[in-house]
Amino acid sequence: MCLWEQTIDGITILKVSSNTYLGTLRLAIQVFFASLKPDCSSPTHFLTPGLGLLLVAIMAISCSIAHAQSSGSIELGFFEESSSQPLVCRVQLLDSRGRPRRVRGAAFHKGWSLVDGKLEFQGPPGNYTYRATHGPQFAAASGGFTLDKQAAGVDSVYLPRHANLADESWLGGDLLVLASANIAADWLPAEDLDMAVCIANQPQEVLAPVTKVNSEWVESHSFRDSRPGSGLVLHHWQTPAEVPESVPSSRLLVMAKKAELPAGGLPVHAEVQRLWARDLPIWLASGMVDSIQLLSEHLTYDGTGQSASRPLVDPAPGIYHGNHAAGRTIENIYWRVLDAGLRIPPTAGSGFGKNASPLGYNRVYAKLGSRTPWSWWQAIESGNSFVSNGPLLRATVNGEDPGKVFEVQAGQELTLDVALALTVSDPVDYLDVIYNGETLYQARLDEFAKQGGKIPLLKVDQSGWIVVRVVTRFEPSYRLATTAPYYIQVAGQPRISRGAVAFFQTWLSEAKKEISRLDEPAASAAEPYITAAERFWENQLNRANAP
């Protein structure tokens, strides 16, 4: 008999007479916690809740002790719980010293193996642990086993599905993949992701701009200007040649947006990938920006390897500290974009291939009627979306999806009926409704449950914008979900904040100083774009109608 008594993530594994089924905790808002239904055999094997929230699995399993042999083996099959269909999973297998072990025949990335339904492992005697995931719509599975000499076993692991966003017409994408299209296509099913965009930093020949993977797809026809001061991603466009240092990023933006659309091709979509970039106020002034990557490479899976994200002007000096500072700073800048009267939706990208984040860690979900790349990008551009690196937040306001503009007559109030469906794996800190950068409503999850899973009716009477968010207590990095903005327009007038406009004028002034120190050709080439941006922001300040 071989029995473990061990505590993992605060959960003790003890001997019991039978397997224990883990139920699900459901709130009115559909907050689901992990559940696992073990089906175990030798060698010694235990399962623990992959999400580690509120639920405990307790079991014990006998194992056989065999004759002398240098290694044992195990075969683990991964299945969807309700249908028993095999799942492609991202699996981390660790030995007793916490070292990642490769799985035979599986692709390997940053300590994780790509397992197509079945894991086969042969190794020296000892204790092993694993964690298997299939995207945020499924509970993760964590477990362990002991390999003895000559031990051989077969086991099945079932992952419960807690949401089905495709059935709700939401399709998720990762807009910053720094790996080849073939690699992205391999990992796409394991992350339950619908599309991914592979980014190039140099001109390249694109043989297949869109690669189909069953009903999913991978795009590889996007260019990122990663030179100092820039951080634009121009989707569905490639530079004709390597970009000289003297060519301003804004020149590339104009070239791309004016490019002729190839027959059957997707329109150019200009995205700010680095919201902290020097040239940000110049791009915003152009009127050519289609989206902003709110969740990007400055937020990683475990908080390590995050890209530096220091803006020229700090939006909240001395306010944000610790591991969440980068995420909150970039979010604050995005809110100032909205406050300045610019209606630009958020997107997300993981940086998979460069950092430790899995494909789709930062992802954007778009709601659409037909499952085509064209429809998906149209939904992104219209702001019918939400972004997340953890929770799955589907919210409506007065029955409308994100991106809606509510028209209100002068002197009238708008009543907001906010409804949401929420699926979470991490402990939730709070959920809230942000109105023009200020908290309109906030509640802890237990408080929200006591309210019957309903947000009370809210009233507003000023033009502006609102977003609905859920923020987790994940400590290593800023982990949240937020809707794209809803807009409120009183008497036909959008909100333009003087403070937000002044913020970007200050940023532009600092950018102008930095650019003036560049080589003369680069500084001269940028001058017309800077002048145009100064005129734009001055005009925006004259139109401002809010503090």
Side-chain angles (χ1 to χ4, degrees):
M1 178 70 67
C2 185
L3 177 67
W4 278 21
E5 179 174 329
Q6 183 173 348
T7 300
I8 297 181
D9 294 336
I11 298 171
T12 303
I13 312 303
L14 302 170
K15 180 178 179 180
V16 294
S17 59
S18 61
N19 292 343
T20 302
Y21 177 70
L22 305 184
T24 56
L25 173 65
R26 301 174 184 266
L27 298 179
I29 54 164
Q30 302 174 6
V31 179
F32 300 127
F33 293 94
S35 64
L36 289 174
K37 189 175 182 179
D39 178 15
C40 306
S41 60
S42 63
T44 303
H45 188 211
F46 64 84
L47 290 176
T48 65
L51 305 178
L53 296 178
L54 306 182
L55 306 170
V56 179
I58 305 177
M59 69 197 70
I61 303 184
S62 62
C63 64
S64 59
I65 306 297
H67 300 293
Q69 185 175 319
S70 61
S71 64
S73 65
I74 189 169
E75 179 181 301
L76 294 177
F78 297 95
F79 304 91
E80 181 179 357
E81 184 181 67
S82 60
S83 68
S84 296
Q85 292 296 310
L87 290 176
V88 182
C89 291
R90 175 168 53 89
V91 180
Q92 186 178 57
L93 179 64
L94 303 176
D95 63 19
S96 59
R97 297 175 63 181
R99 298 174 301 187
R101 300 301 300 263
R102 290 178 179 266
V103 175
R104 183 173 57 194
F108 190 76
H109 176 73
K110 304 294 185 180
W112 293 81
S113 297
L114 177 61
V115 175
D116 191 355
K118 183 171 64 176
L119 177 153
E120 296 177 328
F121 178 72
Q122 183 173 357
N127 297 329
Y128 296 85
T129 58
Y130 67 83
R131 179 174 175 83
T133 71
H134 185 71
Q137 300 183 69
F138 285 75
S142 295
F145 54 87
T146 296
L147 286 185
D148 293 312
K149 295 178 180 179
Q150 213 177 36
V154 178
D155 204 356
S156 299
V157 180
Y158 293 90
L159 281 68
R161 175 188 280 275
H162 289 328
N164 193 331
L165 270 65
D167 282 357
E168 303 173 29
S169 300
W170 292 101
L171 300 184
D174 182 341
L175 300 189
L176 187 66
V177 178
L178 305 178
S180 71
N182 289 337
I183 292 175
D186 288 342
W187 287 90
L188 201 68
E191 302 301 341
D192 203 21
L193 199 64
D194 298 288
M195 68 87 69
V197 177
C198 297
I199 304 297
N201 293 324
Q202 296 292 334
Q204 61 179 3
E205 182 181 5
V206 179
L207 301 178
V210 177
T211 303
K212 297 291 288 184
V213 186
N214 298 320
S215 59
E216 293 76 41
W217 72 95
V218 175
E219 298 184 10
S220 53
H221 193 213
S222 296
F223 175 80
R224 179 171 73 156
D225 183 14
S226 58
R227 296 174 301 165
S230 188
L232 275 176
V233 172
L234 301 167
H235 298 288
H236 317 136
W237 183 78
Q238 287 282 325
T239 61
E242 186 171 343
V243 181
E245 289 296 325
S246 60
V247 175
S249 62
S250 295
R251 174 60 181 158
L252 293 181
L253 177 59
V254 172
M255 289 172 59
K257 294 298 284 186
K258 290 185 176 181
E260 183 178 349
L261 180 66
L266 294 167
V268 173
H269 183 101
E271 179 179 48
V272 175
Q273 184 258 311
R274 294 174 178 167
L275 193 54
W276 55 91
R278 179 197 65 203
D279 295 348
L280 174 65
I282 307 175
W283 303 331
L284 295 176
S286 73
M288 295 182 178
V289 173
D290 297 305
S291 65
I292 289 173
Q293 210 165 99
L294 177 60
L295 309 182
S296 192
E297 57 187 342
H298 64 288
L299 298 174
T300 60
Y301 177 74
D302 57 4
T304 64
Q306 297 184 153
S307 294
S309 54
R310 292 182 290 273
L312 283 185
V313 182
D314 189 339
I319 300 300
Y320 304 130
H321 305 281
N323 295 337
H324 292 187
R328 291 189 179 274
T329 297
I330 299 308
E331 184 179 48
N332 189 301
I333 295 172
Y334 177 65
W335 290 355
R336 288 175 182 264
V337 172
L338 300 177
D339 255 355
L342 306 180
R343 295 178 177 177
I344 304 176
T347 56
S350 67
F352 170 75
K354 176 184 176 183
N355 56 35
S357 291
L359 180 69
Y361 171 64
N362 298 322
R363 58 180 65 191
V364 53
Y365 283 91
K367 193 170 188 181
L368 56 154
S370 60
R371 193 184 180 101
T372 66
W374 184 283
S375 297
W376 194 86
W377 284 102
Q378 286 290 328
I380 290 294
E381 194 165 335
S382 66
N384 196 351
S385 59
F386 73 89
V387 299
S388 174
N389 51 18
L392 299 177
L393 172 65
R394 294 87 78 202
T396 60
V397 176
N398 296 351
E400 301 286 350
D401 293 316
K404 172 68 176 180
V405 180
F406 295 104
E407 297 285 352
V408 183
Q409 294 182 358
Q412 299 294 312
E413 282 187 329
L414 176 66
T415 299
L416 304 176
D417 183 3
V418 181
L420 55 89
L422 175 63
T423 307
V424 295
S425 58
D426 297 293
V428 171
D429 194 3
Y430 56 85
L431 59 92
D432 61 12
V433 178
I434 301 297
Y435 171 49
N436 296 338
E438 302 293 336
T439 302
L440 186 62
Y441 167 86
Q442 186 179 99
R444 304 290 179 181
L445 203 57
D446 57 347
E447 297 170 350
F448 182 69
K450 291 176 182 177
Q451 296 169 356
K454 294 182 179 180
I455 294 176
L457 296 179
L458 308 171
K459 294 183 181 297
V460 297
D461 59 3
Q462 301 293 320
S463 292
W465 54 272
I466 65 169
V467 296
V468 184
R469 303 187 307 163
V470 57
V471 179
T472 75
R473 294 202 298 268
F474 183 69
E475 178 56 32
S477 184
Y478 191 42
R479 186 171 287 179
L480 77 159
T482 178
T483 66
Y486 293 83
Y487 300 100
I488 302 152
Q489 195 160 279
V490 178
Q493 296 297 313
R495 170 187 167 89
I496 302 176
S497 161
R498 295 182 188 87
V501 172
F503 172 78
F504 288 111
Q505 286 181 311
T506 301
W507 191 319
L508 179 59
S509 177
E510 294 300 314
K512 184 177 180 179
K513 293 176 185 177
E514 283 201 1
I515 293 171
S516 70
R517 293 192 287 267
L518 300 177
D519 292 342
E520 196 280 330
S524 296
E527 187 174 344
Y529 301 100
I530 295 173
T531 300
E534 289 173 331
R535 287 198 300 266
F536 170 84
W537 289 112
E538 186 62 32
N539 182 58
Q540 203 74 346
L541 186 62
N542 293 334
R543 296 175 57 214
N545 53 14

